Amino acid sequence: MKRTKEFLAELDGGMLAFFREIAHEMVVRFGIPRAEAVARINSAYEGADIEAYPDIMCHELPEYWAVGLYFQARDGKLPHGDSDEDLSQWEVRPAPPKTSHVWTLNE
């Protein structure tokens, strides 16, 4: 388990790949820069106790986590992240401030 230059949680190789898949999903699905996707992940998981792959997070696909990091909860619920789900009615969660240390990558 080690910390990388991009993610602020200690991750083994498998979880690093999983976090990169979450970031990739946000980039592809929502059209945001990878730096923003990584900042959103860092904001949520900095200092989290992430176990070696497969951590309990892996019971859900990266798409699920990407949607939860990108959209605001509504009535305590988030979209499921299914590819055919209409996400147009969901409010986007604000990205972390650009001055925050969670932005570890340049855009």
Side-chain angles (χ1 to χ4, degrees), residues 33-78:
R34 187 166 188 283
E36 179 182 334
V38 169
R40 287 174 180 272
I41 293 168
N42 284 335
S43 180
Y45 296 109
E46 178 181 17
D49 186 18
I50 308 291
E51 296 292 326
Y53 185 86
D55 180 81
I56 188 83
M57 286 180 73
C58 298
H59 78 282
E60 295 287 356
L61 295 173
E63 294 85 346
Y64 171 86
W65 299 109
V67 167
L69 291 166
Y70 189 72
F71 289 106
Q72 291 276 25
R74 185 171 60 202
D75 299 325
K77 297 180 182 176
L78 286 163

Side-chain angles (χ1 to χ4, degrees), residues 2 6 18-19 30 52 61 90 96 103 106:
K2 65 179 183 174
E6 63 189 311
F18 190 79
F19 273 48
F30 309 125
L61 295 173
W90 290 86
W103 286 79
N106 296 324

